[in-house]
Amino acid sequence: MGRIFTVFQYSVLQNVRDVGVSIGQMLVLPIVLILILGLALNPVFQPKTIGATKVGYLNEDRGPIGSLVDDFLARPEVQELLAVRAVDSLAAGHELLRTGEISALIHVDASYSRLVMAGERAEIQVIGHPGRSLEVTMVETVLESFVCGGNAVQAMVAMGVSQPRYAPAVGSIQEHPISARGLMPNAMGYYAVTMLVMIMMYGSLYSAYTLKRSYLAAIGRRIKASPISPSEQYIGVIAANVVTVFTQALIIIAFTRLAYGVSWGDNLPLVLLIVFVMAVLSAGLGAMAVMAAREESRAHSFLNVIIVVFTFIAGGYIKVSLPGALAHLQYLSPNYLAQTALFNTIYHGSSRQTVLMLAGMVVIIIATFTVAMLVERRAVQ
């Protein structure tokens, strides 16, 4: 244990001795990037206000219920939600949908009043734009309040009322604003997480450098001739790299919380657990790269490329939505796994998904260290 601690202590000092890397690259750079991206892209992360949805309206019904539809859509509270535009025909309405000038077309058939008064099935047709599902849902929701009244009229007819009246109550549509605060990250909160994870991935370069010295360089051969065993050397070096990256991550978390006001949630122990697992993953990735490449420069080139790729597909630089089956590629990115686990923890997302993301990170850790040890054993043989 004493020899492991000696290796650990020496490796930590070696990691922090290069001020340009330990402070400049691993601390100052991410803190500056979080500030720049957080300020520059803040408008992108602001909750958007949904304006009135543009809809086309064709009423071919000349009966009493048809006129009630006209009155309903003309109500001020409905007009705040729907910008109604009369059309002359279904063909004209479909053309407006095709060009994107409206998001939905409301069509009242000529037989609507007759069917309602007869107690038969009557429908108001809503034809929606295929690419605007949210707006179409808004139109359907508003019309449901009218349809409920129509159902009441049909029930009154079935009960024997000869001339039922339908008059929507004032205030039948009520708005209940919901604050997004605490439910989703702003730009500063988003990039605090993604830049933290990215810079921890760059911590894999620590492992590539220290293991190269311990196993591949001339000093490594001298260490092998000393009483210290390879396992003690390996454990001491990896532990030092994990502690170095984890400590730097803690500094970034504390700084962004105090200086930028970034929220790290109310479950700090779980946040720190995810960050620690990410530090171990970073060390394992660096160990695998240098052992497989057998050369520090090639290992560094490999790590620099895959870190950029992993960060990009995880949405670290900008939010990305990969289409179809390509979306599954994100699960191959350690950045995506860590970011998802952190966002779920901070903003009270799915606990089950968080556990799955942590499990995925543990699988990657086992795989990287296994590959590193197998390659080293083969090289020794």
Side-chain angles (χ1 to χ4, degrees):
M1 182 61 74
R3 287 181 292 195
I4 292 178
F5 182 75
T6 300
V7 173
F8 167 82
Q9 190 176 29
Y10 173 78
S11 299
V12 169
L13 291 174
Q14 191 177 44
N15 288 339
V16 300
R17 192 171 293 160
D18 189 346
V19 177
V21 174
S22 62
I23 296 180
Q25 179 178 316
M26 298 298 292
L27 291 177
V28 176
L29 178 61
I31 287 172
V32 171
L33 284 176
I34 292 168
L35 179 63
I36 294 173
L37 293 172
L39 293 177
L41 299 179
N42 186 56
V44 178
F45 289 81
Q46 294 299 318
K48 296 181 180 179
T49 301
I50 301 176
T53 301
K54 296 180 179 180
V55 298
Y57 177 52
L58 175 62
N59 189 351
E60 298 178 314
D61 180 23
R62 298 295 176 262
I65 308 300
S67 64
L68 290 177
V69 181
D70 294 337
D71 295 340
F72 176 79
L73 293 177
R75 295 173 68 86
E77 56 186 351
V78 174
Q79 289 183 340
E80 290 181 5
L81 302 174
L82 304 181
V84 181
R85 172 179 177 177
V87 298
D88 298 326
S89 64
L90 276 176
H94 282 289
E95 178 62 19
L96 292 175
L97 278 174
R98 187 187 67 80
T99 58
E101 295 184 49
I102 60 175
S103 298
L105 174 63
I106 301 172
H107 177 218
V108 182
D109 190 79
S111 61
Y112 184 68
S113 289
R114 178 181 59 80
L115 294 173
V116 171
M117 300 303 291
E120 299 178 13
R121 181 181 178 86
E123 296 180 344
I124 298 177
Q125 186 180 20
V126 177
I127 305 168
H129 191 287
R132 302 178 184 176
S133 58
L134 179 60
E135 290 87 346
V136 175
T137 302
M138 175 72 74
V139 177
E140 292 173 341
T141 302
V142 171
L143 286 177
E144 278 181 8
S145 63
F146 178 85
V147 172
C148 288
N151 292 338
V153 170
Q154 285 185 319
M156 294 169 68
V157 170
M159 294 169 61
V161 179
S162 59
Q163 293 183 337
R165 296 182 58 190
Y166 171 51
V170 176
S172 57
I173 298 178
Q174 300 182 9
E175 295 185 11
H176 297 280
I178 299 175
S179 174
R181 185 177 179 84
L183 300 177
M184 59 181 290
N186 56 17
M188 203 71 77
Y190 181 83
Y191 285 109
V193 171
T194 62
M195 292 298 101
L196 171 70
V197 173
M198 181 193 74
I199 211 66
M200 292 185 73
M201 286 287 285
Y202 277 110
S204 59
L205 298 177
Y206 283 132
S207 291
Y209 175 70
T210 52
L211 287 175
K212 170 254 182 183
R213 284 177 56 87
S214 300
Y215 284 88
L216 305 180
I219 189 174
R221 290 189 290 271
R222 290 197 296 269
I223 291 174
K224 290 178 182 179
S226 68
I228 187 171
S229 68
S231 60
E232 290 174 326
Q233 173 74 7
Y234 188 80
I235 292 171
V237 169
I238 292 299
N241 296 331
V242 171
V243 169
T244 301
V245 174
F246 182 67
T247 302
Q248 290 168 332
L250 293 182
I251 295 172
I252 294 173
I253 290 173
F255 185 90
T256 53
R257 177 67 184 91
L258 297 174
Y260 300 159
V262 172
S263 171
W264 291 94
D266 52 15
N267 193 350
L268 191 57
L270 182 54
V271 169
L272 297 182
L273 173 62
I274 297 168
V275 171
F276 179 78
V277 172
M278 188 64 200
V280 178
L281 190 154
S282 170
L285 187 64
M288 181 188 71
V290 74
M291 291 300 186
R294 310 301 296 175
E295 183 181 333
E296 185 186 2
S297 60
R298 283 189 293 180
H300 278 209
S301 298
F302 169 75
L303 290 172
N304 281 314
V305 170
I306 65 168
I307 290 170
V308 170
V309 173
F310 284 156
T311 303
F312 174 76
I313 66 175
Y317 306 117
I318 55 172
K319 285 186 174 182
V320 295
S321 297
L322 299 178
L326 290 177
H328 297 295
L329 288 175
Q330 292 182 311
Y331 292 97
L332 299 177
S333 167
N335 300 59
Y336 180 78
L337 301 180
Q339 289 170 196
T340 303
L342 286 170
F343 284 133
N344 280 344
T345 303
I346 297 169
Y347 300 102
H348 306 96
S350 170
S351 299
R352 180 176 179 274
Q353 187 182 40
T354 301
V355 172
L356 290 175
M357 296 300 106
L358 275 171
M361 294 168 69
V362 171
V363 169
I364 294 175
I365 289 171
I366 295 172
T368 53
F369 280 117
T370 300
V371 170
M373 288 186 287
L374 289 176
V375 170
E376 171 60 16
R377 287 180 182 177
R378 182 172 296 180
V380 171
Q381 293 173 356

